[in-house]
Amino acid sequence: MPVNAENYQHLKEELGEKVTLVAVSKTKPVENILELYNLGHRDFGENYVQELVDKEAVLPKDIRWHFIGTLQSNKVKKIAPFVHLIHGVDNIPLLKKINKHGNKWNRVIDCLLQVHIADEETKHGFYENEIEEIIKQLPNGEFSNIKISGLMGMSTLTDNLDKIRYEFNYLQDLYKKNSMFAPANSPFTILSMGMSGDYKIALEEGSNMVRIGSLIFGQRNNHPV
Ligand SMILES: *Cc1c(COP(=O)(O)O)cnc(C)c1O
């Protein structure tokens, strides 16, 4: 199945200059990614470490790879040399591990803290009080090879649009609040929320980075998320 170029162009117009579109290419072949690349797109999101590593190896080097899945600490080293932004950081040992591998590669790795906003226990993330603690701890030098650039969240899978809006609105509030604590050398600039089904609500609630897969690449086969 080719890329839905019409949906893509429409999205680009709808999002404008200020919102980054991360095209979520998980489970999709490199040919599809190249198709979008040839339309000028550079930000791609993947959920599985090995799949990301395999794709990165054969695709153009100016692609900005976003890791949006659940990252296991023991796999950080595989993506540390090249990853552009890690969206779903949800525990402190992981943050330390990313910092360690950033140091090895002499990089500062950009990260977003995932916030638990949904009902589902399967969705990971920090709670409000934990976020503030991490942000305030940052300047003390322990984490010099990571940069926390903002927050990421996933809403509950539901048809209740009010509930989705409530969750995104809560995340926006947290984003604004924590922006004030963020150190000057690591300002909060990214609020990653919104997928194919709920990105319009996310935009209304202040998202500036959406992660969109099926709307661009078509439905995925039932591959675990
Ligand atoms: C798969 C995935 C997406 C994209 O989902 P679509 O509904 O296909 O747009 C976005 N964010 C995360 C974290 C994902 O796992």
Side-chain angles (χ1 to χ4, degrees):
M1 267 250 301
V3 160
N4 191 328
E6 200 178 317
N7 279 0
Y8 171 70
Q9 299 296 1
H10 180 79
L11 265 172
K12 289 295 288 177
E13 276 166 38
E14 189 178 6
L15 299 176
E17 295 285 300
K18 294 196 176 111
V19 179
T20 303
L21 171 61
V22 178
V24 177
S25 47
K26 62 185 175 202
T27 80
K28 298 295 175 180
V30 293
E31 290 75 21
N32 284 180
I33 297 175
L34 268 180
E35 237 182 292
L36 207 61
Y37 179 90
N38 289 332
L39 294 175
H41 201 74
R42 293 295 178 270
D43 290 275
F44 291 89
E46 290 282 341
N47 286 55
Y48 312 100
V49 168
Q50 195 53 50
E51 184 178 346
L52 170 54
V53 168
D54 292 346
K55 286 173 171 173
E56 192 274 338
V58 299
L59 283 162
K61 294 300 166 199
D62 61 341
I63 288 180
R64 293 182 289 270
W65 290 107
H66 297 246
F67 190 81
I68 65 169
T70 304
L71 184 55
Q72 289 167 308
S73 297
N74 61 355
K75 294 190 174 163
V76 172
K77 60 174 180 287
K78 294 191 170 185
I79 62 170
F82 66 86
V83 70
H84 174 69
L85 177 63
I86 300 176
H87 286 233
V89 178
D90 62 358
N91 65 82
I92 293 181
L94 177 60
L95 213 48
K96 290 187 173 160
K97 203 58 172 272
I98 297 169
N99 187 62
K100 183 179 143 195
H101 287 284
N103 187 268
K104 270 190 195 156
W105 290 93
N106 199 19
R107 303 186 63 201
V108 176
I109 300 179
D110 230 338
C111 300
L112 303 179
L113 300 180
Q114 184 164 353
V115 186
H116 194 112
I117 56 172
D119 284 344
E120 294 112 315
E121 276 306 314
T122 50
K123 285 184 177 148
H124 306 246
F126 290 109
Y127 290 92
E128 184 166 350
N129 57 323
E130 299 173 306
I131 304 254
E132 195 172 314
E133 259 171 55
I134 295 169
I135 306 295
K136 286 179 171 167
Q137 252 180 31
L138 270 184
N140 67 23
E142 194 193 342
F143 294 118
S144 52
N145 290 89
I146 52 168
K147 180 166 161 272
I148 296 181
S149 297
L151 303 179
M152 177 269 206
M154 278 197 280
S155 67
T156 304
L157 187 62
T158 172
D159 292 333
N160 182 344
L161 301 185
D162 289 338
K163 181 167 177 58
I164 294 173
R165 183 177 299 280
Y166 176 85
E167 290 172 354
F168 283 157
N169 184 264
Y170 170 75
L171 186 54
Q172 182 189 30
D173 278 351
L174 272 192
Y175 173 73
K176 285 183 178 161
K177 190 171 122 200
N178 283 285
S179 298
M180 297 188 296
F181 307 127
N185 61 353
S186 182
F188 253 38
T189 55
I190 302 175
L191 178 55
S192 166
M193 61 184 192
M195 321 195 340
S196 293
D198 58 16
Y199 78 93
K200 285 177 194 283
I201 300 176
L203 290 177
E204 285 165 8
E205 297 302 330
S207 169
N208 61 20
M209 187 174 276
V210 295
R211 309 173 310 269
I212 295 188
S214 41
L215 210 54
I216 300 171
F217 293 108
Q219 291 300 323
R220 289 176 294 274
N221 303 326
N222 47 355
H223 196 297
V225 173

